[in-house]
Amino acid sequence: MHSSALFLIEFGAVILGLGLLGRLAGRLQFSPIPLYLLAGLAFGEGGLLPLGASEEFVAIGAEIGVILLLLMLGLEYTASDLVSNLKTQYPAGLVDATLNALPGAAMALLMGWGPVAAVVLAGVTWISSSGVIAKVLGDLGRLGNRETPVILSILVLEDLAMAVYLPIITALLAGVSLAAGSVTLAIALGVAGLVLFVAVRYGRVISRFVSSDDPEKLLLVVLGLTLLVAGIAQQLQVSAAVGAFLVGIALSGEVAEGTHNLLSPLRDLFAAVFFVFFGLHTDPASIPPVLLPALALAVVTAGTKIATGYWAAKRAGISVKGRWRAGGTLVARGEFSIVIAGLAVTAGIEPELGPLATAYVLILVILGPLTARYTQPLAMRLTGRRKPAEPAALAEAAERPQEAAEPRESVDQHGH
């Protein structure tokens, strides 16, 4: 009875604290992710007040948080959207992966961490935070800008790449042989391809099967199906998160919209628990030794993200100001960088990887909204373009925020 009361007190205090931190972040108009990570650091190993009774439950909640993050991500895209983005925007995706994954891999090798850690850190530096970026676009009033679809296309390709990348990481961290790893990847790709095919051909049938006018029944069926598929995927040595992502893709129409509305509060709750859990397993004393490498990596990869957005927007015919805005908006890293690093921390491959990833994400999740706001005016000042010619000015006017339904709808669906 005493341990049960202690658990309720601890876990209740954690949830209440997260709510207050989220409210504080809202007033300060930035992402709550860094505050959640700092809370985990404060109550974890070497922190001010380590948790005891509720840590095991927090661990389970964190796993559910990752599954819900990927499920909700999948709900935002249809299979046809993914296929269309692959066909038209894959060059931007390749440039994005090359420019932003290589610095992470190089840093891991320079620090002597080996090839597995290099692949992990490459993923940490590669994937932008879709949640933070969607919020920033709304806050800055850029939902109708011409460069916004370019930004969304890059985010979609990154999210889709997760379905291939996570099984590779899972196999590498498990230390399986090359043959076994190839089988795992083949299974993952086969399942992903099959789900995309079924979603394109029979998406309406699946959605009708899951659909219900009763919110309670819809919630239970979708949540139960997601956890079941995620568990089966993990049993097959494929990431549970990938299984959840594919379930989200398979659902469409009113079912996807209804599920999104029902599960958003649960996603936010368990995602916050996940960030706290990651912080719990990072000793605050381990961050100062890796702070300089994390800062250097943040500076380099902020530059490579800006270059990625600039190139992709230029390829789409966006004017110079829009290119700089696209690049600055993509800088923020967040939830998926922590997901990737969390897999490595759980596997215990490199003690310093978790602290470095924590410091790196803290830096860029704070820096990201600032680069989104100030990259374009600063670049204009440095390049002497403060007074553009009239044709350019007219082009810029066309890219200012407008109440265009299509771009706004795309961002709203993508935002968390």
Side-chain angles (χ1 to χ4, degrees):
M1 184 68 70
H2 175 71
S3 61
S4 174
L6 182 60
F7 162 75
L8 291 175
I9 291 170
E10 280 192 358
F11 193 64
V14 168
I15 298 301
L16 176 60
L18 291 176
L20 295 175
L21 289 174
R23 183 179 296 179
L24 174 62
R27 289 189 176 181
L28 297 175
Q29 295 188 339
F30 72 91
S31 169
I33 292 174
L35 297 183
Y36 295 155
L37 289 172
L38 290 173
L41 292 172
F43 295 102
E45 303 169 3
L48 301 175
L49 186 63
L51 295 179
S54 61
E55 187 169 349
E56 185 176 350
F57 186 83
V58 170
I60 296 173
E63 192 165 352
I64 294 175
V66 175
I67 289 171
L68 290 179
L69 276 172
L70 271 293
L71 168 66
M72 300 295 278
L73 194 64
L75 288 173
E76 291 155 10
Y77 310 125
T78 65
S80 57
D81 290 337
L82 294 177
V83 172
S84 174
N85 272 285
L86 277 175
K87 288 180 178 178
T88 60
Q89 299 295 338
Y90 73 91
L94 293 175
V95 170
D96 179 38
T98 303
L99 290 182
N100 297 288
L102 287 180
M107 176 63 76
L109 295 176
L110 286 173
M111 298 186 74
W113 290 352
V116 175
V119 176
V120 172
L121 196 55
V124 170
T125 59
W126 171 19
I127 305 295
S128 296
S129 172
S130 55
V132 173
I133 289 170
K135 186 177 187 304
V136 167
L137 286 171
D139 291 344
L140 296 179
R142 296 180 182 174
L143 298 172
N145 281 25
R146 285 191 59 207
E147 73 271 7
T148 297
V150 176
I151 296 169
L152 292 179
S153 295
I154 292 174
L155 295 177
V156 169
L157 289 170
E158 287 182 352
D159 297 335
L160 183 59
M162 290 281 284
V164 177
Y165 177 81
L166 287 177
I168 295 174
I169 287 295
T170 303
L172 289 175
L173 294 175
V176 300
S177 64
L178 181 61
S182 300
V183 171
T184 300
L185 180 58
I187 292 173
L189 292 175
V191 170
L194 178 62
V195 170
L196 286 175
F197 173 77
V198 171
V200 171
R201 294 292 297 271
Y202 307 106
R204 292 183 180 179
V205 176
I206 297 171
S207 295
R208 275 202 302 270
F209 171 76
V210 174
S211 178
S212 173
D213 293 332
D214 187 337
E216 178 185 350
K217 294 174 183 176
L218 178 62
L219 174 65
L220 291 174
V221 170
V222 174
L223 187 58
L225 177 64
T226 302
L227 294 175
L228 177 65
V229 172
I232 294 172
Q234 192 156 310
Q235 193 68 27
L236 294 172
Q237 299 299 312
V238 179
S239 171
V242 172
F245 180 66
L246 295 173
V247 170
I249 291 173
L251 301 178
S252 61
E254 293 182 2
V255 172
E257 185 178 348
T259 302
H260 192 282
N261 294 333
L262 288 171
L263 286 179
S264 287
L266 277 179
R267 186 271 319 278
D268 293 339
L269 168 63
F270 284 108
V273 171
F274 165 71
F275 292 121
V276 170
F277 177 74
F278 186 82
L280 289 175
H281 287 263
T282 304
D283 187 347
S286 64
I287 290 182
V290 297
L291 194 54
L292 281 179
L295 183 59
L297 196 57
V299 171
V300 170
T301 54
T304 54
K305 274 292 181 183
I306 291 173
T308 298
Y310 188 97
W311 183 88
K314 181 179 180 181
R315 179 174 176 269
I318 308 299
S319 71
V320 175
K321 287 187 177 181
R323 299 171 199 172
W324 287 116
R325 286 194 297 264
T329 304
L330 286 168
V331 166
R333 302 329 193 264
E335 58 271 27
F336 294 117
S337 296
I338 295 297
V339 168
I340 295 165
L343 294 174
V345 170
T346 303
I349 63 161
E350 179 54 54
E352 291 186 324
L353 199 154
L356 187 143
T358 301
Y360 174 80
V361 169
L362 280 172
I363 293 168
L364 286 185
V365 82
I366 295 171
L367 184 64
L370 298 177
T371 59
R373 185 185 296 268
Y374 297 113
T375 295
Q376 177 254 316
L378 181 61
M380 293 300 98
R381 177 169 297 183
L382 293 177
T383 56
R385 292 179 178 267
R386 283 174 290 181
K387 295 181 179 179
E390 186 175 348
L394 292 174
E396 292 305 327
E399 293 178 11
R400 288 172 191 158
Q402 299 175 11
E403 297 300 319
E406 188 173 352
R408 175 177 290 274
E409 184 179 4
S410 299
V411 178
D412 289 345
Q413 286 179 358
H414 193 88
H416 298 318

